Amino acid sequence: MNTHSSFSVSTIATVATPFKQKFAIPRQPNLAKAQGIVTFEDGFNEKTMLKGIENYSHLWLLFIFHQNIDRGWKNTVKAPRLGGNATMGVLASRSTHRPNGIGMSVVENKGLIHTEGATQLVVEGVDLVDGTPIVDIKPYISYADSVPNAFDKLDEINPIPNRDVLFSSNLELALREIEAKHNGFSSLVTSVLAQDPRPAYKQHLDNDEKTYRVTLYDIDVGFVIKNAAVWVTELVQLG
Ligand code: SAM
């Protein structure tokens, strides 16, 4: 007999972010100043639902890993922090392949935008792919959610990479034009690529001639790893 209860959950909003694909999205929130614009669905687009939200500097977004949900889940998952081959229990991980596909991210509350008939919420520090469905939003309450003596042994063993990021000198003009359209673009690229988004088994390589590509907003960014630094070699406006 199946004794599991099931509950239905509705998408209350979706979040627009600069990340057009999963590759290179930071592993957790607040590792890059990436902005998210939360747009509420019909039935949840009520200003009253957000009354008082300005009292909180940070918010929890609860969302669905919608791009992975149809790939199911397993008891154990590969742990990128352990080099990509060792496994951990899914419930001992922040993997995207989870029983109910639910994710949670703390982000900075940058305020509301009111337009005709709609209210949008601006947040910063997202680790979410563009279009991620949001199922709940709650204030981050530091007295309860911040634990001063918490430990994370995996982070001690294998901290997130922090490589230097350099732009090829021929990109100066392109960068200036992109910056005029997407304010903070260079610092977004820098913080995203400093974390070395290559697969875990490649991250020890200080020279890697392969050109990797990531789309941020509508810009295709090409980069290589040379002498331990990330070199941005191409910036191409898409479409
Ligand atoms: N902070 C969240 C958590 O702990 O639940 C997410 C952590 S998860 C390790 C972060 C990764 O999820 C990102 O690097 C990206 O590759 C992936 N991701 C982001 N949005 C997604 C989505 N909508 N569907 C599937 N994967 C997503």
Side-chain angles (χ1 to χ4, degrees), residues 22 25-26 28 65-67 94 96 103-105 127 129 132:
K22 286 183 286 178
I25 301 180
Q28 287 301 336
F65 289 113
H66 72 307
Q67 289 199 354
R94 301 286 282 254
T96 61
M104 49 190 274
S105 295
D127 55 347
V129 75
T132 294

Side-chain angles (χ1 to χ4, degrees), residues 19-26 67-68 71 96-97 129 214:
F19 303 117
K20 303 301 171 190
Q21 70 290 291
K22 286 183 286 178
F23 176 62
I25 301 180
Q67 289 199 354
N68 285 358
R71 290 170 55 192
T96 61
H97 301 280
V129 75
V214 52

Side-chain angles (χ1 to χ4, degrees), residues 22 30 40 45 48 77 79 92 142 146 152 187 189 209 215:
K22 286 183 286 178
N30 300 305
F40 293 88
N45 185 17
T48 48
V77 291
S142 61
S146 163
D152 170 351
S187 69
V189 172
E209 279 173 16
T215 305

Side-chain angles (χ1 to χ4, degrees), residues 24 45 52 56 61 105-106 118 134 139 155-156 162 179 209 231:
N45 185 17
Y56 300 96
L61 300 183
S105 295
V106 175
I134 305 291
D155 192 50
E156 286 163 26
N162 185 17
E179 211 35 74
E209 279 173 16
W231 277 90

